[in-house]
Amino acid sequence: MGKHRRPGPPNQPSRAVPRVDEADPLAAYRRRRRPPMDVHRRHRPVNGGAGHVRPGEARVLEEWDGFAYQVVGTAADLAAAREWVNTPGRG
C-alpha cells in the first residue's frame, strides 16, 4: 500500500482547515467556535431528506450562533432558502 497523502501540489498548504494565528491567546477558543466547514447559514427541508429533492417544499433556515445552529425562520421553497443563504451581511 502507498503512503496516504492529500491530493494536489505538495508545495501548497491544505485548505481544509483555516490557518490559526499562533500569537493570539484566544486562537484555540475561536477555532472551536467556527461553524462546521465555515458555513454560517444553511437550510434544511422541513420533513427531512435530501435538500435537492422536492424543491417546492418549505425549508427550515438555520444560522450558526457560535456554538450550534439555531432555527431563525422558514422559507417557502428551495429558491427562497438559497437566496437567504447567499445574502451578504450575515451576523
Side-chain angles (χ1 to χ4, degrees):
M1 297 290 299
K3 186 170 100 174
H4 294 280
R5 68 181 194 95
R6 68 175 182 83
N11 63 345
Q12 293 181 358
S14 174
R15 291 181 299 241
V17 178
R19 296 229 176 231
V20 176
D21 182 13
E22 299 299 330
D24 183 8
L26 297 176
Y29 171 80
R30 289 192 180 110
R31 194 173 99 204
R32 288 191 306 266
R33 299 302 174 242
R34 281 196 316 254
M37 300 298 292
D38 286 333
V39 175
H40 295 273
R41 288 179 161 189
R42 69 181 185 184
H43 60 85
R44 302 281 181 224
V46 171
N47 298 321
H52 65 284
V53 179
R54 298 185 303 270
E57 287 189 1
R59 302 283 195 250
V60 175
L61 306 176
E62 299 174 333
E63 197 163 31
W64 183 256
D65 69 353
F67 296 97
Y69 284 102
Q70 300 296 322
V71 176
V72 294
T74 59
D77 57 5
L78 179 59
R82 284 185 177 167
E83 182 180 336
W84 177 80
V85 167
N86 295 323
T87 54
R90 61 178 176 250

